[in-house]
């Protein structure tokens, strides 16, 4: 088997995770790291054991000698860097968010299709075994009719312009950096939202720091989500249906299993005067719950779908598999999904920042 | 000590819980049960051990002989029934939602103040020890600056016009029947929302079955909530801040404790390249999480604040305490809060049902 050679654009923490993740991939390696400055590239190369450090992204794309390039530069640069690679005929994996806005996303997709060069968004969690299992269970109606999809992602950070997440010029903001997880998962499960609303807080550096957004999906599914750069959050993701609840074990960004609870809808008499309701009336169910630390509602079964390595190699293997069979898009993470998520993110940002950014 | 005598309006499940809850109250009893029909009242009286059954609410208010009346008729009747009692000079505890809309809520409050008759919304959970502790911890900045408040409440039921929750003529809908819990808690903690948005599903019987709503509170707090009559939900409530997470143990409707987790905001370098980030990079943190079933983020300390009985006597004791000291409103559950929550609920319903209901 030929070794699959990756070039890396960008020296941030996500690039380090991707390179570390390749250890679990099928015979893959990172052969160069590119940065704006040689010093940064050399430091990353030394730290991560990459043979070659290149100054400049255009120079790196022109150098070639790779089977694909992973782009993890700031979101504001994603489209320009993807276009460099596409022009050079090199397959591209673009870290999320796919682009700074829907127009950029469309431009990259158009170029990729025109040149028949493989391009995929690096929404790595979509390829984890737990995410795949979640989608299968929803398709199999494991919780009946899905009615609500909910998720969140947040870490409290000190606002700081040197942190790209807080820098508007680099495509910062909670929606850009964190929103892709719940938005892309829901897009994958329920399609493109028809209505989008958002409320949040734009901070001193000019980016959306907290963002609550709600969406209407086809088929009567309501989405309720929030992300934050300033608050700790449960980082969960759940699909709630008429016949139960289904959610990730572990966080929305690194799920390693599912919680599935099944319960049938209650008829009126049962809900109001059934034996469970009568036990609740006299406090018995309450007392058991208080003493055991358990809810009176079933927590369901936990099913593990563990991932190997740090989880990043699944997307790398998908890129390799697609390229090896001549596909120019992934069926799991198609460009149409990336464009739709970028358009939804634009609508959320317009609501948060004022319609001038719509 | 004189026994405190309650009259009960309405024979639904919530009335049964209230009467059962009086067993843990300070020397209180239910002395009559009123319903539209004598048969229903007699059946309830026999089942719950209440001495007197009365047909008709006006008749019951005129009968008197009670220290207060608990109103748990359908939401569409709350205002009319409260006004009957206020006219008769009898203190009133009105089950949530306080009224079908803000105009009704204002009318009841105006009448109560004009006659100096005690009136309070029966938001029983606000008086539970865990809710009181939650409010104290937020005031003490236990999680730093609050940024996001989130909560939900849902039970999957079979849509049925005989179930008042699904009957628009009786004031049905998820917002009316379930929304009061998260809305009233957030109102209590963070004040009156300045912005309100909602997305949801109006079902075949004409009521909002699923409702996701998000609010902006003074002080930069964003609210993200959903309720459902058609889907099972986690029934949780959390306040997320810059220095940790704070949430109920048990459900939003019967919390018996708190989860408090403290974590300091991360600086950029620490978030990207700190030792925890480096362990994550190589998958070690992931593997421990997968094998132990624990998140890499602290779950915090669990603190129990158990309630007695079925929890309903706390509000009954508050009514008695207020009346005994001559207060015409509760400081814990003032009428201004009930009116503000009703107005917010109106805005949510207007968004869900179309602006004609605004």
């Amino acid at each position: 088997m030929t070794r699959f050679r990756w070039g890396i654009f960008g020296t941030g923490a996500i690039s380090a995770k991707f390179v570390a993740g390749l250890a679990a991939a099928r015979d893959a390696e990172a052969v160069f790291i590119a940065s704006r400055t040689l010093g940064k590239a050399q430091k990353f190369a030394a730290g991560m054991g990459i043979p070659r450090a290149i100054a400049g992204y255009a120079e790196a794309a022109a150098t070639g000698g790779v089977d694909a390039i992973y782009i993890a530069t700031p979101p504001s640069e994603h489209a320009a860097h993807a276009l460099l690679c596409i022009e050079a005929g090199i397959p591209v994996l673009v870290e999320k968010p796919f682009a700074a806005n829907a127009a950029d996303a469309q431009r990259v997709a158009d170029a990729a299709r025109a040149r028949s060069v493989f391009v995929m968004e690096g929404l790595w969690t979509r390829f984890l075994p737990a995410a795949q299992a979640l989608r299968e269970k929803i398709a199999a109606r494991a919780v009946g009719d899905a009615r609500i999809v909910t998720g969140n992602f947040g870490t409290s950070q000190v606002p700081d312009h040197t942190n790209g997440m807080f820098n508007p010029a680099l495509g910062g903001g909670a929606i850009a950096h964190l929103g892709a997880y719940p938005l892309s998962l829901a897009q994958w499960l329920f399609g493109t939202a028809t209505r989008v609303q958002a409320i949040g807080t734009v901070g001193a550096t000019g980016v959306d720091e907290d963002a609550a957004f709600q969406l209407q999906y086809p088929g009567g599914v309501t989405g309720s989500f929030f992300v934050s750069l300033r608050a700790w959050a449960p980082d969960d993701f759940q699909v709630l249906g008429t016949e139960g609840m289904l959610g990730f074990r572990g966080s929305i960004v690194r799920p390693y299993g599912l919680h599935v609870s099944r319960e049938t809808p209650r008829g009126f008499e049962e809900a109001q005067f059934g034996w469970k309701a009568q036990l609740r009336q006299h406090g018995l169910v309450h007392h058991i719950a208080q003493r055991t630390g358990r809810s009176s509602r079933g927590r369901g079964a936990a099913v593990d779908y563990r991932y190997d390595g740090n989880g990043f190699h699944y997307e790398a293997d998908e890129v390799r598999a697609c390229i090896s069979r001549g596909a120019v898009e992934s069926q799991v993470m198609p460009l149409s999904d990336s464009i739709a998520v970028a358009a939804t993110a634009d609508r959320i940002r317009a609501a948060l920042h004022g319609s001038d950014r719509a």
Side-chain angles (χ1 to χ4, degrees), chain A residues 11 19 31-34 38-54:
Chain A
T11 57
V19 172
V31 297
F32 74 61
I33 170 76
L38 188 61
K40 273 187 157 177
Q42 286 174 328
K43 191 175 166 197
F44 188 97
M48 300 301 300
I50 296 175
R52 189 163 177 200
I54 303 176

Side-chain angles (χ1 to χ4, degrees), chain A residues 153-324:
Chain A
F153 186 26
T155 305
S156 181
Q157 295 170 68
V158 179
D160 178 356
H161 251 108
T162 65
N163 179 347
M165 289 195 187
F166 287 90
N167 190 333
L170 297 177
I175 288 297
H177 283 272
L178 312 180
Y181 290 99
L183 285 175
S184 185
L185 275 166
Q187 168 78 37
W188 188 42
L189 298 172
F190 302 113
T192 302
T194 52
R195 288 183 65 205
V196 177
Q197 293 183 343
I199 279 183
T201 303
V202 174
T205 68
V207 304
D208 43 286
E209 295 182 346
D210 301 300
F213 42 104
Q214 46 196 6
L215 302 94
Q216 189 76 60
Y217 294 97
V221 177
T222 300
S224 179
F225 308 99
F226 64 87
V227 291
S228 179
L229 299 174
R230 299 296 304 282
W232 302 98
D235 294 358
D236 53 21
F237 184 83
Q238 291 173 306
V239 176
L240 309 172
T242 52
E243 295 170 24
M245 301 191 283
L246 184 53
F248 280 149
R249 273 165 67 74
S251 84
I252 186 172
V253 287
R254 52 185 85 93
Y256 58 81
L258 300 177
H259 279 290
V260 190
S261 72
R262 291 275 307 173
E263 204 155 351
T264 49
R266 290 184 185 152
F268 176 51
E269 287 295 325
E270 179 197 356
Q272 300 289 294
F273 302 105
W275 65 269
K276 278 191 190 173
Q278 291 200 28
L279 288 180
R280 266 196 294 272
Q281 173 185 305
H282 291 287
L284 186 59
V285 171
H286 304 219
H287 285 210
I288 293 170
Q290 293 189 64
R291 262 132 199 95
T292 60
R294 294 177 69 88
S295 163
S296 55
R297 179 167 302 168
R299 312 266 3 201
V303 194
D304 279 356
Y305 298 92
R306 292 178 185 160
Y307 52 82
D308 302 324
N310 68 5
F312 276 78
H313 69 284
Y314 293 99
E315 64 175 7
D317 282 345
E318 168 75 357
V319 172
R320 180 182 189 147
C322 288
I323 292 171
S324 70

Side-chain angles (χ1 to χ4, degrees), chain A residues 9 57-58 61 71 73-74 77-86 92:
Chain A
F9 277 21
Y57 299 109
I71 296 174
T73 50
E77 308 305 307
H78 283 186
H81 292 161
L83 291 170
L84 278 177
C85 299
I86 293 165
V92 188

Side-chain angles (χ1 to χ4, degrees), chain A residues 2-67:
Chain A
T2 321
R3 279 180 90 74
F4 193 89
R5 298 158 302 163
W6 284 95
I8 312 292
F9 277 21
T11 57
I14 191 83
S15 288
K17 286 181 188 169
F18 181 80
V19 172
L22 289 179
R26 292 195 298 127
D27 203 24
E29 64 184 328
V31 297
F32 74 61
I33 170 76
S35 182
R36 274 179 303 153
T37 60
L38 188 61
K40 273 187 157 177
Q42 286 174 328
K43 191 175 166 197
F44 188 97
M48 300 301 300
I50 296 175
R52 189 163 177 200
I54 303 176
Y57 299 109
E59 292 77 358
T63 297
V66 291
D67 297 300

